[in-house]
Each structure stands twice: as C-alpha cells, then as structure tokens.
Amino acid sequence: WYDDDAGVRRKVMTMIAETMKTDQVIGRNLVIADVIVKYVIMTLERDIEYLDENGACNLLIYGLEVPLDIRLSDQKFKGHLDRVDAVREGEIRVVDYKTGKVTVDDYEIDDTNFERIAEAIFAQDTEERPGIAFQFYIYDLLLRKKGHDAGRQVRNSIYSMATIFKEQPQTRDLNENFYKTMTLSLENLLTQIYDIEVPFRRTTVEK
C-alpha cells in the first residue's frame, strides 16, 4: 500500500464518497482527499520504520476505533482507542492520532518524573495539564481492566500529524509506577467528588 499512491487515493475517495453519501467527490473535497492521501502514505511509511526498528516483519492490528468501557469506584469510564496493534508476542501497543500540540510530558514518563506528571494532571487551578498523558492512562486502564493486555507489556504511541513528516512517532512503554499512582489518585478524586461531606469549590481557571 505505501508505494501505491493510486490505490490509496482510490480507497480514500471511496471512503469520502460513502461518508458524504454521494456518487462523486468534487470541489474542495478533492483537495482534502489529496491531503489525506499524503498523511495515509506517511503513516504507512512510519509503520514500516517501526517494524524495522523492532526487527519485525508483521504488524498485527487488533482493532481500529476500539470501544471499551469499565467501572472504577462505581463510575463508568469509556473510550475509543484509535488503534491497538503489536509487532511481537509479549507486548501490545495503543496508538493515538493527534492533530494538536504534544508535549514531552505527554509521553516521556519514567521512574524519575512519574510523580511530578501525575501531580500535574490532578493539580487544582492549572492550565498546564498533561492532557495526552492522562488520556493514555485512561486508554491503558480500559485495556487492562478488560484483560486485553493479557499480561503483555503495554506500549503507547503518539502519531502526531504536526510532526509525522519530520520524525518517527514517539513510542514508550507504560510506566508501572505512573499507572499505579494515577489509579490511586483517580480513585481518591472520585471518592471526594461523591462525598457529600466535601463541598464543591469554584476553580480560578476560566477555561
């Protein structure tokens, strides 16, 4: 696929037509189609690079737009994982496509900074919250609570559309200390929210 521009374009045009419920794609949608084709081909090229880096020949895709839901502290959480795949036994990767800003704190999480990033996520009155890191945590939580990881190492990968033409997407192993700290913090927050003895407070952040 990655070296078949015409094939990718035909597939994209078909999907656009189906989505718009029309027989032909015309006007500005042709320009949009051209842009999508470029991103699709680059994504495929990055996938091949990831295979090469890991000495693998096959990319096993478990699902696209995977819907998952769980209950934590008697509250329902649900989400749609853009892509779940793997290149070898013993691991499973959660891929998220991003069009906006991605910070280092959103993916570079290890034993030296997990506490700081977790604290930043749950901090009160802040506009600098590592939102993507929190999103990945929820995805990993959904995956694990449903047992889809099956004891395998969970990896998180950000395919940023802003940088995909410049660099390989960032992929990191899920940090276990971060996962445990986040789960405890989230459970404590939910307990506070539903505790009638704890009054609500107004945030000073207007956004």
Side-chain angles (χ1 to χ4, degrees), residues 22-66:
T22 183
D23 293 331
Q24 57 180 331
V25 179
I26 58 175
R28 66 176 183 177
N29 291 320
L30 288 173
V31 178
I32 293 173
D34 288 338
V35 174
I36 292 174
V37 168
K38 291 179 181 178
Y39 276 107
V40 170
I41 291 174
M42 181 53 66
T43 298
L44 291 172
E45 290 181 1
R46 294 306 188 192
D47 284 343
I48 292 173
E49 290 175 6
Y50 182 70
L51 286 170
D52 292 340
E53 289 176 1
N54 288 272
C57 298
N58 299 300
L59 180 68
L60 177 60
I61 297 180
Y62 291 104
L64 303 173
E65 285 295 319
V66 182

Side-chain angles (χ1 to χ4, degrees), residues 130-145:
I132 297 174
F134 179 65
Q135 183 180 359
F136 266 123
Y137 161 72
I138 294 296
Y139 289 164
D140 297 337
L141 178 71
L142 293 169
L143 200 70
R144 283 191 161 180
K145 292 294 184 182

Side-chain angles (χ1 to χ4, degrees), residues 5-19:
D5 292 25
V8 172
R9 183 176 176 80
R10 283 194 299 271
K11 182 66 175 178
V12 168
M13 296 287 279
T14 298
M15 295 180 71
I16 291 177
E18 290 176 350
T19 301

Side-chain angles (χ1 to χ4, degrees), residues 73-190:
S73 297
D74 203 34
Q75 303 303 314
K76 187 174 182 179
F77 287 80
K78 64 180 180 179
H80 287 78
L81 284 61
D82 286 345
R83 190 169 102 193
V84 180
D85 64 26
V87 296
R88 64 168 63 90
E89 293 183 6
E91 71 176 40
I92 189 167
R93 183 174 71 145
V94 177
V95 175
D96 195 49
Y97 302 109
K98 289 295 178 192
T99 57
K101 180 181 178 182
V102 178
T103 68
V104 173
D105 281 350
D106 283 317
Y107 62 84
E108 202 69 70
I109 304 173
D110 55 34
D111 287 341
T112 67
N113 64 8
F114 74 91
E115 290 182 312
R116 175 180 63 79
I117 295 175
E119 288 175 1
I121 289 173
F122 288 97
Q124 297 179 354
D125 301 332
T126 179
E127 296 181 10
E128 301 299 325
R129 208 179 302 276
I132 297 174
F134 179 65
Q135 183 180 359
F136 266 123
Y137 161 72
I138 294 296
Y139 289 164
D140 297 337
L141 178 71
L142 293 169
L143 200 70
R144 283 191 161 180
K145 292 294 184 182
K146 283 295 186 180
H148 294 317
D149 62 323
R152 291 172 290 185
Q153 171 66 53
V154 177
R155 310 198 78 196
N156 295 320
S157 188
I158 301 174
Y159 277 52
S160 171
M161 297 301 103
T163 60
I164 196 166
F165 288 95
K166 302 176 183 177
E167 61 186 24
Q168 175 72 9
Q170 301 293 334
T171 300
R172 298 291 186 273
D173 291 345
L174 167 64
N175 182 271
E176 292 299 333
N177 286 325
F178 177 71
Y179 181 83
K180 293 175 183 177
T181 300
M182 287 291 296
T183 301
L184 180 60
S185 298
L186 181 57
E187 290 174 338
N188 289 339
L189 178 62
L190 292 172

